[in-house]
Amino acid sequence: MSKSKSTNPKPTILFIQGSKPLPLIFYDQQVTNSIIPFDIKEHTEKFNFVIVARKGIPLIGTYDRDVSGYKNEKDEVPKDYVLNDNLYYRVNQIKEILNYLYKSSKVKKDSIFVIGHSEGYRVAAKLSEKNMKITKLVCMSADPFNRIAESIMRERIKSFEAKNDGSNQTEINELMNDYRNIAISKIQYKDKVEFNNWLSYNENLSFKSLQKFKNPLLIVYGTNDIGSIHNDLIPFLLPKNNVSIKAYSGYGHNFERKEFDLNEKPLDDSYHWDEVFKDVLQWLMSK
């Protein structure tokens, strides 16, 4: 939890990060930062900020060594991480943190906000099922169905780009069959630890979980993020008054935007997490 001078109970933001085995804090010779992708410094007197470490991953890492994912001295992702890298473990882990926060004297019980990004979208959705301790929920940058649906969309777009609508149909058929056969695969691969991740994120449809959440919900995504395109269907999947949608034109998965010079030569991407978080914060504090 972030620290501040105040001892009074405050609104609390619980941020659920994505899928990589990343430490919570990164440093080099010049800077130290958390993996929370937006700047929280100016907000720590008003809010508590909480992020939960991934099982088996050190809290602190270096940019040079760990920015793409932590590996141990054997150049392997730690076994504890692999064994617990699934939707059910992450939901149970964060549910315990949420219950702790709800009892804490430092937390305003009517102002507990959960933000999930990427894989964290799916974790937050599952966590929210009939959960009245979450005052408001924000789901960002993921498919509201599951990973298979996202993969099908990617394959279809490839076929559009190739101007051959049948070019990727074999892959799409295989993905459809993967989903249809989940019940069989669950039995067939029940002893394979690495299957648990795939299974947990595909047998659960995030929008089905979100249908069970009664408090205000905000869906946020960039229109240039292929994996989030199905959020355009949220009004059909969640036709309720508690749902708001914010789509950022031209932004990608991490709210980056492609930039070009006057001659259309590509430049470094610009990142807009702070802009997006400012809008999210405004929504969280609205009545």
Side-chain angles (χ1 to χ4, degrees):
M1 184 183 294
S2 58
K3 294 183 178 180
S4 73
K5 298 175 183 178
S6 174
T7 58
N8 297 322
K10 297 188 295 186
T12 297
I13 294 175
L14 172 57
F15 181 77
I16 306 175
Q17 72 274 40
S19 58
K20 289 186 177 181
L22 296 173
L24 294 188
I25 297 171
F26 281 90
Y27 72 93
D28 60 21
Q29 294 180 344
Q30 296 179 321
V31 295
T32 301
N33 285 309
S34 79
I35 64 166
I36 295 177
F38 41 85
D39 189 1
I40 67 172
K41 294 182 181 68
E42 64 179 285
H43 305 295
T44 53
E45 289 304 314
K46 188 172 182 179
F47 296 89
N48 298 312
F49 288 89
V50 178
I51 187 167
V52 181
R54 299 301 304 270
K55 182 75 170 179
I57 304 301
L59 293 178
I60 300 174
T62 67
Y63 284 108
D64 287 344
R65 184 188 65 200
D66 304 314
V67 72
S68 296
Y70 173 82
K71 292 185 178 180
N72 59 23
E73 63 279 359
K74 297 180 181 179
D75 199 33
E76 297 173 346
V77 177
K79 188 175 181 179
D80 272 352
Y81 177 88
V82 175
L83 290 173
N84 297 284
D85 183 23
N86 61 76
L87 177 63
Y88 304 116
Y89 177 83
R90 293 200 72 187
V91 169
N92 289 333
Q93 180 194 41
I94 295 173
K95 189 178 292 183
E96 288 190 19
I97 301 298
L98 186 62
N99 291 339
Y100 169 82
L101 293 173
Y102 195 75
K103 297 174 183 176
S104 173
S105 61
K106 297 180 180 180
V107 173
K108 289 185 68 176
K109 290 179 175 55
D110 64 350
S111 300
I112 298 177
F113 308 124
V114 173
I115 301 175
H117 175 256
S118 193
E119 182 178 284
Y121 177 127
R122 299 181 171 103
V123 177
K126 190 68 176 174
L127 176 73
S128 75
E129 290 183 359
K130 300 178 182 179
N131 194 327
M132 296 306 294
K133 292 176 182 175
I134 302 173
T135 309
K136 288 187 176 183
L137 177 67
V138 183
C139 290
M140 314 174 84
S141 301
D143 192 287
F145 294 97
N146 59 10
R147 286 178 176 170
I148 290 176
E150 175 184 334
S151 296
I152 289 172
M153 176 62 76
R154 291 183 185 279
E155 292 298 329
R156 183 61 72 202
I157 288 177
K158 286 180 186 177
S159 70
F160 290 159
E161 290 173 342
K163 298 183 179 179
N164 180 351
D165 61 4
S167 61
N168 295 74
Q169 193 59 47
T170 299
E171 289 84 356
I172 290 171
N173 290 342
E174 289 175 354
L175 288 163
M176 290 178 175
N177 286 331
D178 285 344
Y179 182 68
R180 292 191 186 102
N181 294 326
I182 279 179
I184 297 171
S185 298
K186 193 171 183 177
I187 298 171
Q188 185 177 359
Y189 299 108
K190 62 183 178 66
D191 296 325
K192 291 186 177 293
V193 171
E194 60 273 16
F195 177 70
N196 291 336
N197 179 285
W198 181 93
L199 172 68
S200 65
Y201 287 104
N202 282 311
E203 70 175 346
N204 291 280
L205 301 177
S206 292
F207 84 92
K208 289 285 190 182
S209 295
L210 295 173
Q211 287 175 343
K212 302 173 185 177
F213 184 65
K214 305 303 180 185
N215 288 342
L217 165 65
L218 175 64
I219 303 292
V220 180
Y221 58 103
T223 61
N224 204 31
D225 179 15
I226 293 174
S228 296
I229 287 176
H230 280 140
N231 285 298
D232 289 343
L233 303 179
I234 287 294
F236 305 95
L237 302 173
L238 302 172
K240 302 186 296 181
N241 292 330
N242 70 321
V243 181
S244 301
I245 303 169
K246 180 67 173 177
Y248 287 86
S249 180
Y251 289 5
H253 186 69
N254 280 298
F255 305 109
E256 75 281 3
R257 183 171 60 197
K258 300 294 181 185
E259 301 290 353
F260 302 89
D261 65 15
L262 295 176
N263 297 315
E264 298 299 316
K265 182 179 179 181
L267 303 172
D268 290 340
D269 293 349
S270 59
Y271 283 83
H272 300 269
W273 260 110
D274 289 338
E275 171 200 341
V276 172
F277 179 64
K278 181 180 178 181
D279 293 341
V280 168
L281 206 57
Q282 185 175 12
W283 179 83
L284 290 176
M285 300 310 295
S286 64
K287 297 298 185 182

